[in-house]
Amino acid sequence: MGEKVLLIDDEAEFLSALSERMRLRGMDVTTASNAADALEAIKNDTFDAIFLDLQMPGTDGIESLRKIRDINPDLQVILLTGHATVDKGIEAMKLGAMDFMEKPADVEQLREKVRKAHARKMLLVERRTESKISEILAERGW
């Protein structure tokens, strides 16, 4: 399988259709229809990219983004919305969202965003590993 993606959206038809289209392009897709299920998935698995609907009942996308960043600030979150506002987009980017896209989402654009998210994730892992190695070498005096 390809990149691991978490797709979070309360619209069941959109979630089903988009996840199937992403799977057909080789992505390993997990879906969640609400913030609680998404946060549970994030605690139990790793993802290269997370696509998060901005407008959801209960916990909206901005609040979900805050909770996701609390769990793991390195996660690559891309917000999706059919009701984009500049203010919400700016707020999301300040909170650490990687990107902000309007629905309907073009699958090829999403695929490119997943590739970029995966590359950013790998860079973060590499930097963290280098830092740990440096710490170990400094502690041992090598």
Side-chain angles (χ1 to χ4, degrees), residues 28-87:
D28 180 5
V29 182
T30 300
T31 61
S33 59
N34 58 59
D37 291 347
L39 295 172
E40 193 63 31
I42 290 166
K43 290 176 185 174
N44 295 316
D45 207 346
T46 61
F47 298 96
D48 296 311
I50 297 171
F51 290 96
L52 173 62
D53 183 23
L54 183 63
Q55 299 284 358
M56 292 191 298
T59 307
D60 71 357
I62 295 294
E63 185 59 31
S64 297
L65 176 59
R66 283 187 180 102
K67 291 178 179 184
I68 289 168
R69 304 296 288 169
D70 286 345
I71 293 170
N72 183 345
D74 294 338
L75 290 172
Q76 304 301 304
V77 179
I78 301 153
L79 287 174
L80 292 173
T81 186
H83 314 284
T85 67
V86 173
D87 291 341

Side-chain angles (χ1 to χ4, degrees), residues 81-119:
T81 186
H83 314 284
T85 67
V86 173
D87 291 341
K88 289 289 185 183
I90 291 170
E91 184 178 0
M93 299 305 274
K94 285 181 179 178
L95 290 171
M98 178 186 150
D99 212 336
F100 187 82
M101 296 177 64
E102 285 191 70
K103 292 179 185 177
D106 176 70
V107 176
E108 288 308 315
Q109 263 189 316
L110 291 175
R111 190 175 190 187
E112 185 58 32
K113 301 286 183 194
V114 171
R115 285 188 192 118
K116 288 179 181 178
H118 180 72

